[in-house]
Amino acid sequence: MPRKRQRERMMSTTHQKTGSTWLSKAGLRPTRQRVALATLLVGDGQNRHVTAESLFEAAKKQGEAVSLATVYNTLRAFCDAGLVQEVTVDGSKSYFDTNTHDHPHFFWEEDGKLTDAPSEELVIASLPEAPEGAEIASVDVVIRLRKTAH
Ligand SMILES: [Zn+2]
């Protein structure tokens, strides 16, 4: 086997291990498909924002035989297990974030891309009081961006 090829294989094995550890941490059975998707999500140790569609495309590129419905259901299972959090931007599209801590987001309207915004620069001074019989479950901050005209 050529050396470069071997190195790539080794790297992907490490990534896979990271993916399976991430699954077992949440008590999810590491099925082959789950491990493949987990590897794409967190294998390199970086946080990611994906949609079912973008993860599906990434899986296809890796030669993974998986359907969009399976990717969607798997992301839902990851979400239920607390491995990812769902960020709803416009109601029609769900983004899944591997960073499960509270943090604000930038939404790039033209590219449909979601990225993290610096949390230390966000200050919420006060919130409206929850109506009688309700409490605030969470506050999502999505800052929508559009390109400036030159
Ligand atoms: Zn995020």
Coordinates of all heavy atoms in Angstrom, one line a residue, residues 43-132:
G43 N -15.3 13.5 14.1 CA -14.1 12.8 13.9 C -12.8 13.6 14.1 O -11.9 13.1 14.7
D44 N -12.8 14.8 13.6 CA -11.6 15.6 13.6 C -11.6 16.5 14.9 O -10.7 17.3 15.0 CB -11.5 16.4 12.3 CG -12.6 17.4 12.2 OD1 -13.5 17.5 13.0 OD2 -12.6 18.1 11.2
G45 N -12.5 16.3 15.8 CA -12.5 17.1 17.0 C -13.0 18.5 16.9 O -12.9 19.2 17.9
Q46 N -13.5 18.9 15.7 CA -14.0 20.2 15.5 C -15.5 20.2 15.6 O -16.2 19.2 15.3 CB -13.7 20.7 14.1 CG -12.2 20.6 13.7 CD -11.4 21.7 14.4 OE1 -11.9 22.9 14.5 NE2 -10.2 21.4 14.8
N47 N -16.1 21.3 16.1 CA -17.5 21.5 16.1 C -18.0 21.8 14.7 O -17.3 22.4 13.9 CB -18.0 22.5 17.1 CG -18.0 22.0 18.5 OD1 -18.5 20.9 18.8 ND2 -17.4 22.7 19.5
R48 N -19.3 21.4 14.4 CA -19.8 21.6 13.1 C -21.3 21.9 13.2 O -22.0 21.5 14.1 CB -19.8 20.3 12.4 CG -18.7 20.0 11.6 CD -18.7 18.9 10.6 NE -17.4 19.1 10.0 CZ -16.3 18.6 10.7 NH1 -16.4 18.0 11.8 NH2 -15.1 18.8 10.1
H49 N -21.8 22.7 12.2 CA -23.2 22.9 12.0 C -23.6 22.3 10.7 O -23.0 22.6 9.6 CB -23.4 24.4 11.9 CG -22.9 25.2 13.1 ND1 -21.6 25.6 13.2 CD2 -23.5 25.6 14.3 CE1 -21.4 26.2 14.3 NE2 -22.5 26.2 15.0
V50 N -24.5 21.3 10.7 CA -24.9 20.7 9.5 C -26.4 20.7 9.4 O -27.1 20.9 10.4 CB -24.4 19.2 9.5 CG1 -22.9 19.1 9.6 CG2 -25.1 18.4 10.6
T51 N -26.9 20.5 8.2 CA -28.3 20.2 7.9 C -28.3 18.7 7.5 O -27.2 18.2 7.2 CB -28.9 21.0 6.8 OG1 -28.1 20.8 5.6 CG2 -28.8 22.5 7.1
A52 N -29.4 18.1 7.6 CA -29.5 16.7 7.1 C -29.0 16.6 5.7 O -28.3 15.7 5.4 CB -31.0 16.2 7.2
E53 N -29.3 17.6 4.9 CA -28.9 17.6 3.5 C -27.4 17.7 3.3 O -26.8 16.9 2.6 CB -29.5 18.8 2.7 CG -31.0 18.6 2.4 CD -31.9 19.0 3.7 OE1 -31.3 19.5 4.6 OE2 -33.1 18.7 3.7
S54 N -26.7 18.6 4.1 CA -25.3 18.7 4.0 C -24.5 17.5 4.5 O -23.5 17.1 3.9 CB -24.8 20.0 4.6 OG -24.8 19.9 6.0
L55 N -25.1 16.9 5.5 CA -24.4 15.7 6.1 C -24.6 14.5 5.1 O -23.7 13.7 4.9 CB -25.0 15.4 7.5 CG -24.3 14.2 8.2 CD1 -22.8 14.5 8.4 CD2 -24.9 14.0 9.6
F56 N -25.8 14.5 4.5 CA -26.1 13.5 3.5 C -25.1 13.6 2.3 O -24.5 12.6 1.9 CB -27.5 13.6 3.0 CG -27.9 12.8 1.9 CD1 -27.9 11.4 2.0 CD2 -28.3 13.3 0.7 CE1 -28.3 10.6 0.9 CE2 -28.6 12.5 -0.4 CZ -28.6 11.2 -0.3
E57 N -24.9 14.8 1.9 CA -23.9 15.0 0.8 C -22.5 14.6 1.2 O -21.8 13.9 0.4 CB -23.9 16.5 0.3 CG -25.1 17.0 -0.4 CD -25.4 16.1 -1.7 OE1 -24.4 15.7 -2.4 OE2 -26.6 15.8 -1.9
A58 N -22.1 14.9 2.4 CA -20.8 14.5 2.9 C -20.6 13.0 2.9 O -19.6 12.5 2.6 CB -20.5 15.2 4.2
A59 N -21.7 12.4 3.4 CA -21.7 10.9 3.5 C -21.6 10.3 2.2 O -20.8 9.3 2.0 CB -22.9 10.4 4.3
K60 N -22.3 10.8 1.2 CA -22.3 10.3 -0.1 C -20.9 10.4 -0.7 O -20.4 9.5 -1.4 CB -23.3 11.0 -1.0 CG -24.4 10.2 -1.5 CD -25.4 10.7 -2.5 CE -25.2 12.1 -3.0 NZ -26.4 12.6 -3.7
K61 N -20.3 11.5 -0.5 CA -18.9 11.8 -1.0 C -17.9 10.7 -0.5 O -17.0 10.4 -1.1 CB -18.5 13.2 -0.7 CG -17.7 13.9 -1.8 CD -17.3 15.3 -1.4 CE -18.3 16.3 -1.8 NZ -18.0 17.6 -1.3
Q62 N -18.2 10.3 0.7 CA -17.3 9.3 1.4 C -17.7 7.8 0.9 O -17.1 6.9 1.4 CB -17.5 9.3 2.9 CG -17.1 10.6 3.5 CD -15.7 10.4 4.2 OE1 -15.5 9.6 5.0 NE2 -14.8 11.2 3.7
G63 N -18.7 7.8 0.0 CA -19.1 6.5 -0.5 C -20.0 5.7 0.5 O -20.1 4.5 0.4
E64 N -20.6 6.4 1.4 CA -21.4 5.8 2.4 C -22.8 5.6 1.8 O -23.4 6.6 1.3 CB -21.5 6.7 3.6 CG -22.1 6.0 4.9 CD -21.3 4.8 5.3 OE1 -20.1 4.9 5.3 OE2 -22.0 3.8 5.6
A65 N -23.3 4.4 1.8 CA -24.7 4.1 1.2 C -25.7 4.4 2.3 O -26.0 3.5 3.1 CB -24.8 2.7 0.7
V66 N -26.2 5.6 2.3 CA -27.1 6.0 3.3 C -28.2 6.9 2.7 O -27.9 7.7 1.8 CB -26.4 6.7 4.5 CG1 -25.8 8.0 4.1 CG2 -27.2 6.8 5.7
S67 N -29.4 6.8 3.2 CA -30.5 7.7 2.6 C -30.6 9.0 3.4 O -30.2 9.0 4.5 CB -31.8 6.9 2.5 OG -32.3 6.8 3.9
L68 N -31.2 10.0 2.7 CA -31.4 11.2 3.4 C -32.3 11.1 4.6 O -32.1 11.7 5.7 CB -32.0 12.2 2.4 CG -32.4 13.6 3.0 CD1 -31.1 14.3 3.5 CD2 -33.0 14.5 1.9
A69 N -33.3 10.2 4.5 CA -34.2 9.9 5.6 C -33.4 9.3 6.8 O -33.7 9.7 8.0 CB -35.3 9.0 5.2
T70 N -32.5 8.4 6.5 CA -31.7 7.8 7.6 C -30.8 8.9 8.3 O -30.7 8.9 9.5 CB -30.8 6.7 7.0 OG1 -31.7 5.7 6.4 CG2 -30.0 6.0 8.1
V71 N -30.2 9.8 7.4 CA -29.4 10.8 8.0 C -30.2 11.7 8.9 O -29.8 12.0 10.0 CB -28.7 11.7 6.9 CG1 -28.0 12.9 7.4 CG2 -27.8 10.8 6.1
Y72 N -31.4 12.0 8.4 CA -32.3 12.9 9.2 C -32.7 12.2 10.6 O -32.6 12.8 11.6 CB -33.5 13.2 8.4 CG -34.4 14.3 9.1 CD1 -34.0 15.6 9.1 CD2 -35.5 13.9 9.8 CE1 -34.8 16.6 9.8 CE2 -36.3 14.9 10.5 CZ -35.9 16.2 10.4 OH -36.7 17.1 11.1
N73 N -33.1 11.0 10.5 CA -33.5 10.2 11.7 C -32.3 10.1 12.7 O -32.5 10.1 13.9 CB -34.0 8.9 11.3 CG -35.4 9.0 10.6 OD1 -36.1 10.0 10.8 ND2 -35.7 8.0 9.8
T74 N -31.1 9.8 12.1 CA -29.9 9.7 12.9 C -29.6 11.0 13.6 O -29.3 11.0 14.8 CB -28.7 9.2 12.1 OG1 -29.1 8.0 11.4 CG2 -27.5 8.9 12.9
L75 N -29.7 12.1 12.9 CA -29.5 13.4 13.6 C -30.5 13.7 14.7 O -30.2 14.2 15.7 CB -29.6 14.5 12.5 CG -28.3 14.7 11.6 CD1 -28.6 15.7 10.5 CD2 -27.1 15.2 12.5
R76 N -31.7 13.3 14.4 CA -32.8 13.4 15.5 C -32.4 12.6 16.7 O -32.6 13.0 17.8 CB -34.1 12.9 15.0 CG -34.8 13.8 14.1 CD -35.9 14.6 14.8 NE -36.1 15.8 14.1 CZ -35.8 17.0 14.6 NH1 -35.3 17.2 15.8 NH2 -35.9 18.1 13.8
A77 N -31.9 11.3 16.5 CA -31.5 10.5 17.6 C -30.3 11.1 18.3 O -30.3 11.1 19.6 CB -31.1 9.1 17.1
F78 N -29.4 11.7 17.6 CA -28.3 12.3 18.2 C -28.7 13.5 19.1 O -28.2 13.8 20.2 CB -27.3 12.9 17.2 CG -26.5 11.8 16.5 CD1 -25.6 12.1 15.5 CD2 -26.6 10.4 16.8 CE1 -24.8 11.1 14.8 CE2 -25.9 9.4 16.2 CZ -25.0 9.8 15.2
C79 N -29.8 14.2 18.6 CA -30.3 15.3 19.2 C -31.0 14.9 20.5 O -30.8 15.5 21.6 CB -31.3 16.0 18.3 SG -31.7 17.7 18.7
D80 N -31.8 13.8 20.5 CA -32.5 13.3 21.6 C -31.5 12.8 22.7 O -31.8 12.9 23.9 CB -33.4 12.1 21.2 CG -34.6 12.6 20.4 OD1 -34.9 13.8 20.4 OD2 -35.2 11.7 19.8
A81 N -30.4 12.3 22.2 CA -29.4 11.8 23.2 C -28.5 13.0 23.7 O -27.6 12.7 24.6 CB -28.5 10.8 22.5
G82 N -28.7 14.2 23.3 CA -28.0 15.3 23.8 C -26.6 15.5 23.2 O -25.8 16.2 23.7
L83 N -26.4 14.8 22.0 CA -25.1 14.9 21.4 C -25.0 16.1 20.5 O -23.9 16.7 20.3 CB -24.8 13.7 20.5 CG -24.5 12.4 21.3 CD1 -24.5 11.2 20.3 CD2 -23.1 12.5 22.0
V84 N -26.1 16.5 19.9 CA -26.1 17.8 19.1 C -27.3 18.6 19.6 O -28.2 18.1 20.2 CB -26.2 17.4 17.6 CG1 -25.0 16.7 17.1 CG2 -27.5 16.7 17.3
Q85 N -27.3 19.9 19.2 CA -28.5 20.7 19.5 C -29.0 21.2 18.2 O -28.3 21.4 17.2 CB -28.2 21.8 20.5 CG -27.2 22.9 19.9 CD -27.3 24.1 20.8 OE1 -28.3 24.6 21.3 NE2 -26.1 24.7 21.0
E86 N -30.3 21.3 18.2 CA -31.0 21.7 16.9 C -31.1 23.3 17.0 O -31.4 23.8 18.0 CB -32.4 21.1 16.9 CG -33.1 21.5 15.6 CD -34.5 20.8 15.5 OE1 -34.9 20.1 16.5 OE2 -35.1 21.0 14.5
V87 N -30.8 23.9 15.9 CA -30.9 25.3 15.8 C -31.9 25.6 14.6 O -31.6 25.2 13.5 CB -29.6 26.1 15.5 CG1 -29.7 27.6 15.5 CG2 -28.5 25.6 16.6
T88 N -33.0 26.2 14.9 CA -34.0 26.5 13.9 C -33.8 27.9 13.4 O -33.8 28.8 14.3 CB -35.4 26.2 14.4 OG1 -35.4 24.9 15.0 CG2 -36.4 26.2 13.2
V89 N -33.6 28.1 12.2 CA -33.3 29.4 11.7 C -34.5 30.1 11.1 O -34.9 31.2 11.4 CB -32.1 29.4 10.7 CG1 -31.9 30.8 10.1 CG2 -30.9 29.0 11.4
D90 N -35.2 29.3 10.2 CA -36.4 29.9 9.6 C -37.6 29.0 9.6 O -38.5 29.2 8.8 CB -36.1 30.5 8.2 CG -35.6 29.3 7.3 OD1 -35.7 28.2 7.7 OD2 -35.0 29.7 6.2
G91 N -37.5 28.0 10.4 CA -38.7 27.1 10.5 C -38.7 26.0 9.5 O -39.3 24.9 9.7
S92 N -38.1 26.3 8.3 CA -38.2 25.3 7.3 C -37.0 24.4 7.3 O -37.0 23.3 6.7 CB -38.3 26.0 5.9 OG -37.2 26.7 5.6
K93 N -35.9 24.9 7.9 CA -34.6 24.2 7.8 C -34.1 24.0 9.2 O -34.0 25.0 10.0 CB -33.7 24.9 6.9 CG -32.7 24.0 6.3 CD -31.9 24.7 5.3 CE -31.5 23.7 4.1 NZ -30.8 24.4 3.1
S94 N -33.7 22.8 9.6 CA -33.0 22.6 10.9 C -31.5 22.5 10.7 O -31.1 21.7 9.9 CB -33.6 21.4 11.6 OG -34.8 21.7 12.2
Y95 N -30.8 23.1 11.6 CA -29.4 23.0 11.6 C -29.1 22.2 12.9 O -29.8 22.4 13.9 CB -28.7 24.3 11.7 CG -28.8 25.1 10.4 CD1 -29.9 25.7 10.0 CD2 -27.7 25.0 9.5 CE1 -30.0 26.4 8.8 CE2 -27.8 25.7 8.2 CZ -29.0 26.4 7.9 OH -29.1 27.0 6.7
F96 N -28.1 21.3 12.8 CA -27.7 20.6 14.0 C -26.2 21.0 14.3 O -25.4 21.0 13.5 CB -27.8 19.1 13.7 CG -29.2 18.7 13.5 CD1 -29.8 18.7 12.2 CD2 -30.0 18.3 14.6 CE1 -31.1 18.3 12.0 CE2 -31.3 17.9 14.4 CZ -31.9 17.9 13.1
D97 N -26.0 21.3 15.6 CA -24.8 21.8 16.1 C -24.1 20.9 17.1 O -24.8 20.4 18.0 CB -25.1 23.2 16.8 CG -23.8 24.0 17.1 OD1 -22.7 23.4 17.0 OD2 -24.0 25.1 17.5
T98 N -22.9 20.5 16.8 CA -22.2 19.6 17.7 C -21.8 20.3 19.0 O -21.4 19.6 20.0 CB -21.0 18.9 17.1 OG1 -20.1 19.9 16.6 CG2 -21.4 18.1 15.9
N99 N -21.8 21.6 19.0 CA -21.5 22.3 20.2 C -22.8 22.5 21.0 O -23.7 23.3 20.5 CB -20.9 23.7 19.9 CG -20.6 24.6 21.1 OD1 -20.9 24.2 22.2 ND2 -20.0 25.7 20.9
T100 N -23.0 21.8 22.1 CA -24.3 21.8 22.7 C -24.4 22.9 23.8 O -25.4 22.9 24.5 CB -24.6 20.4 23.3 OG1 -23.5 20.0 24.2 CG2 -24.8 19.4 22.2
H101 N -23.3 23.7 24.0 CA -23.4 24.8 25.0 C -24.2 25.9 24.4 O -24.3 26.1 23.2 CB -22.0 25.2 25.4 CG -21.3 24.2 26.1 ND1 -20.2 23.6 25.5 CD2 -21.4 23.6 27.3 CE1 -19.7 22.7 26.4 NE2 -20.5 22.6 27.5
D102 N -24.8 26.7 25.3 CA -25.6 27.9 24.8 C -24.6 28.9 24.1 O -23.6 29.3 24.7 CB -26.2 28.6 26.0 CG -27.6 28.0 26.3 OD1 -28.1 27.3 25.4 OD2 -28.1 28.3 27.4
H103 N -24.9 29.2 22.9 CA -24.0 30.2 22.2 C -24.8 30.9 21.1 O -25.7 30.2 20.5 CB -22.7 29.7 21.8 CG -22.8 28.5 20.8 ND1 -23.2 27.2 21.2 CD2 -22.7 28.5 19.5 CE1 -23.2 26.5 20.1 NE2 -22.9 27.2 19.1
P104 N -24.5 32.1 20.7 CA -25.2 32.8 19.6 C -24.6 32.3 18.3 O -23.5 31.8 18.2 CB -24.8 34.3 19.9 CG -23.6 34.3 20.6 CD -23.5 33.0 21.4
H105 N -25.4 32.5 17.3 CA -25.1 32.1 15.9 C -25.2 33.3 14.9 O -26.0 34.2 15.1 CB -25.9 31.0 15.4 CG -25.6 29.7 16.1 ND1 -26.4 29.1 17.1 CD2 -24.5 28.9 15.9 CE1 -25.8 28.0 17.5 NE2 -24.7 27.8 16.8
F106 N -24.3 33.2 13.9 CA -24.5 34.0 12.7 C -25.2 33.2 11.7 O -24.8 32.0 11.5 CB -23.1 34.5 12.2 CG -22.4 35.6 12.9 CD1 -21.1 35.5 13.2 CD2 -23.1 36.7 13.3 CE1 -20.4 36.5 13.9 CE2 -22.5 37.7 14.0 CZ -21.1 37.6 14.3
F107 N -26.2 33.7 11.0 CA -26.8 33.1 9.9 C -26.5 33.9 8.6 O -26.9 35.0 8.5 CB -28.3 32.9 10.1 CG -29.0 32.2 8.9 CD1 -28.6 30.8 8.6 CD2 -29.9 32.8 8.1 CE1 -29.2 30.2 7.6 CE2 -30.5 32.2 7.0 CZ -30.1 30.8 6.8
W108 N -25.8 33.3 7.7 CA -25.4 34.0 6.5 C -26.5 33.7 5.5 O -26.6 32.6 4.9 CB -24.1 33.4 6.0 CG -23.0 33.6 7.0 CD1 -22.8 32.8 8.1 CD2 -21.9 34.5 7.0 NE1 -21.7 33.2 8.8 CE2 -21.2 34.3 8.1 CE3 -21.6 35.6 6.2 CZ2 -20.0 35.1 8.5 CZ3 -20.5 36.4 6.5 CH2 -19.7 36.1 7.6
E109 N -27.4 34.7 5.3 CA -28.6 34.6 4.6 C -28.3 34.1 3.1 O -29.0 33.2 2.6 CB -29.4 35.8 4.6 CG -30.1 36.1 5.9 CD -31.1 37.2 5.9 OE1 -30.9 38.2 5.2 OE2 -32.1 37.1 6.7
E110 N -27.3 34.7 2.5 CA -27.1 34.4 1.1 C -26.6 32.9 0.9 O -26.9 32.3 -0.1 CB -26.1 35.3 0.4 CG -26.8 36.6 -0.1 CD -26.0 37.9 0.2 OE1 -26.2 38.4 1.3 OE2 -25.2 38.3 -0.6
D111 N -25.8 32.5 1.8 CA -25.2 31.1 1.7 C -26.0 30.1 2.4 O -25.7 28.9 2.3 CB -23.8 31.1 2.2 CG -23.0 32.3 1.7 OD1 -23.1 32.6 0.5 OD2 -22.3 32.9 2.5
G112 N -27.0 30.5 3.3 CA -27.7 29.5 4.1 C -26.8 28.8 5.1 O -27.0 27.7 5.4
K113 N -25.8 29.5 5.5 CA -24.8 28.9 6.4 C -24.9 29.4 7.8 O -25.2 30.6 8.0 CB -23.4 29.2 5.8 CG -22.4 28.1 5.9 CD -21.1 28.4 5.2 CE -20.3 29.4 6.0 NZ -19.1 29.9 5.4
L114 N -24.7 28.5 8.7 CA -24.7 28.9 10.2 C -23.3 28.7 10.8 O -22.7 27.7 10.6 CB -25.7 27.9 10.9 CG -26.2 28.3 12.3 CD1 -27.2 29.5 12.2 CD2 -26.8 27.1 12.9
T115 N -22.9 29.8 11.4 CA -21.6 29.7 12.1 C -21.7 30.3 13.5 O -22.7 31.0 13.8 CB -20.5 30.5 11.4 OG1 -20.9 31.9 11.2 CG2 -20.2 29.9 10.0
D116 N -20.8 30.0 14.4 CA -20.8 30.5 15.7 C -20.5 32.0 15.8 O -19.6 32.5 15.0 CB -19.8 29.8 16.6 CG -20.3 28.4 16.9 OD1 -21.5 28.1 16.8 OD2 -19.5 27.5 17.4
A117 N -21.1 32.7 16.6 CA -20.8 34.1 16.9 C -20.1 34.2 18.2 O -20.4 33.3 19.1 CB -22.1 35.0 16.9
P118 N -19.2 35.1 18.4 CA -18.5 35.2 19.7 C -19.4 35.4 20.9 O -20.1 36.4 21.0 CB -17.5 36.3 19.5 CG -17.8 37.0 18.3 CD -18.8 36.2 17.5
S119 N -19.5 34.4 21.8 CA -20.5 34.5 23.0 C -20.1 35.6 23.9 O -20.9 36.3 24.5 CB -20.5 33.3 23.8 OG -20.0 32.2 23.1
E120 N -18.7 35.9 24.1 CA -18.3 36.9 25.1 C -18.8 38.3 24.7 O -18.8 39.2 25.5 CB -16.8 36.8 25.3 CG -15.9 37.1 24.1 CD -15.7 35.9 23.1 OE1 -16.4 34.9 23.3 OE2 -15.0 36.1 22.1
E121 N -19.2 38.5 23.4 CA -19.6 39.8 23.0 C -21.1 40.0 23.2 O -21.7 41.0 22.9 CB -19.2 40.1 21.6 CG -17.7 40.3 21.5 CD -17.2 40.3 20.1 OE1 -17.9 40.7 19.2 OE2 -16.0 40.0 19.9
L122 N -21.8 38.9 23.6 CA -23.2 39.0 23.7 C -23.6 39.3 25.1 O -23.2 38.6 26.0 CB -23.9 37.7 23.2 CG -25.4 37.6 23.4 CD1 -26.1 38.4 22.3 CD2 -25.8 36.1 23.4
V123 N -24.5 40.3 25.3 CA -25.0 40.6 26.6 C -26.5 40.8 26.5 O -27.0 41.6 25.7 CB -24.4 42.0 27.2 CG1 -25.0 42.3 28.5 CG2 -22.9 41.9 27.2
I124 N -27.2 39.9 27.3 CA -28.7 40.1 27.3 C -29.0 40.7 28.7 O -28.8 40.1 29.7 CB -29.4 38.7 27.1 CG1 -29.0 38.2 25.7 CG2 -30.9 38.9 27.3 CD1 -29.6 36.8 25.5
A125 N -29.4 42.0 28.6 CA -29.5 42.8 29.8 C -30.8 42.4 30.5 O -30.9 42.3 31.8 CB -29.5 44.2 29.5
S126 N -31.9 42.2 29.8 CA -33.1 41.8 30.4 C -34.0 41.1 29.4 O -33.9 41.3 28.2 CB -33.8 43.0 31.0 OG -34.8 43.5 30.2
L127 N -34.9 40.3 29.9 CA -35.8 39.6 29.0 C -37.3 39.8 29.5 O -37.5 40.1 30.7 CB -35.6 38.0 29.2 CG -34.3 37.5 28.5 CD1 -34.1 36.0 29.0 CD2 -34.4 37.6 27.0
P128 N -38.2 39.8 28.6 CA -39.6 39.9 29.0 C -39.9 38.8 29.9 O -39.4 37.7 29.8 CB -40.4 39.8 27.7 CG -39.4 39.7 26.6 CD -38.0 39.5 27.1
E129 N -40.8 39.1 30.9 CA -41.2 38.0 31.8 C -42.0 37.0 31.1 O -42.8 37.4 30.2 CB -41.9 38.7 33.0 CG -41.6 38.1 34.3 CD -42.2 38.9 35.4 OE1 -41.7 40.0 35.6 OE2 -43.1 38.4 36.1
A130 N -41.8 35.7 31.5 CA -42.7 34.7 30.9 C -44.1 34.9 31.3 O -44.4 35.3 32.5 CB -42.2 33.3 31.3
P131 N -45.1 34.6 30.5 CA -46.5 34.7 30.8 C -46.8 33.8 32.0 O -46.1 32.8 32.2 CB -47.2 34.3 29.6 CG -46.3 34.4 28.5 CD -44.9 34.2 29.1
E132 N -47.8 34.1 32.7 CA -48.3 33.3 33.8 C -48.4 31.8 33.4 O -48.9 31.5 32.4 CB -49.7 33.8 34.2 CG -50.4 33.1 35.3 CD -50.1 33.8 36.7 OE1 -50.0 35.0 36.7 OE2 -49.8 33.0 37.6

